[in-house]
Amino acid sequence: MSDGDEVTIEPMGMEHVSRVITAIERDDADYARYFSPFDFTVETLAKILTEAVKDRYFILLKDEQVAGFYMLRGVDSGYDIPSYGIWISQRFSGRGFALKTLHDAVLVARSLSAPAIMLKVHPDNLRARRIYERFGFRQTGFDSKNSNLVYHLVISQ
């Protein structure tokens, strides 16, 4: 990643909600076909942020533009292992931002004393699978509810 492709990661706040939703809506539906963790509306995202205690949501900003967001969630629901999810805006795809969020997610997971990070990825999302596997995630299962592959990354404390 060149200096021109630096991105800032910061905790997502209520002030970011409408900007994130607008950015998601700008992408082609086909581009985001593999990413559907919840209903993307201002109301839903605002409720999720308001109710979050240990779950973490982050925004990626590139020159003040929304480049994406990532989350580690499920801890508030009682899971010991947070679930990682990411969306990178189509306009900013291919710049290495996803990899930067993975490094950040490991630090956040450690701060939560999580033993691992879990993610689900569609089998056809080869680009994402390559990124995760190169980072060290290993396939550990299959989610028959949505046909996604389940991956885990063990976090050394």
Side-chain angles (χ1 to χ4, degrees), residues 57-85:
Y57 298 84
F58 298 90
I59 188 167
L60 284 74
L61 297 170
K62 169 70 175 142
D63 300 327
E64 298 302 316
Q65 296 179 50
V66 175
F69 79 91
Y70 92 88
M71 59 193 157
L72 284 175
R73 65 185 195 144
V75 181
D76 287 342
S77 298
Y79 293 97
D80 293 330
I81 298 174
S83 177
Y84 168 87

Side-chain angles (χ1 to χ4, degrees), residues 113-129:
S113 299
I117 297 173
M118 186 272 295
L119 63 82
K120 296 178 183 178
V121 62
H122 193 278
D124 293 340
N125 193 348
L126 298 177
R127 185 176 185 182
R129 288 177 58 196

Side-chain angles (χ1 to χ4, degrees), residues 32-97:
R33 70 188 174 277
Y34 299 123
F35 187 70
S36 58
F38 49 80
D39 183 29
F40 284 101
T41 64
V42 169
E43 296 78 18
T44 300
L45 187 54
K47 182 175 191 280
I48 288 169
L49 290 178
T50 301
E51 295 175 354
V53 177
K54 292 182 180 177
D55 289 353
R56 301 289 187 255
Y57 298 84
F58 298 90
I59 188 167
L60 284 74
L61 297 170
K62 169 70 175 142
D63 300 327
E64 298 302 316
Q65 296 179 50
V66 175
F69 79 91
Y70 92 88
M71 59 193 157
L72 284 175
R73 65 185 195 144
V75 181
D76 287 342
S77 298
Y79 293 97
D80 293 330
I81 298 174
S83 177
Y84 168 87
I86 184 171
W87 166 79
I88 299 292
S89 171
Q90 190 172 10
R91 295 176 357 157
F92 294 99
S93 179
R95 295 188 186 185
F97 296 167

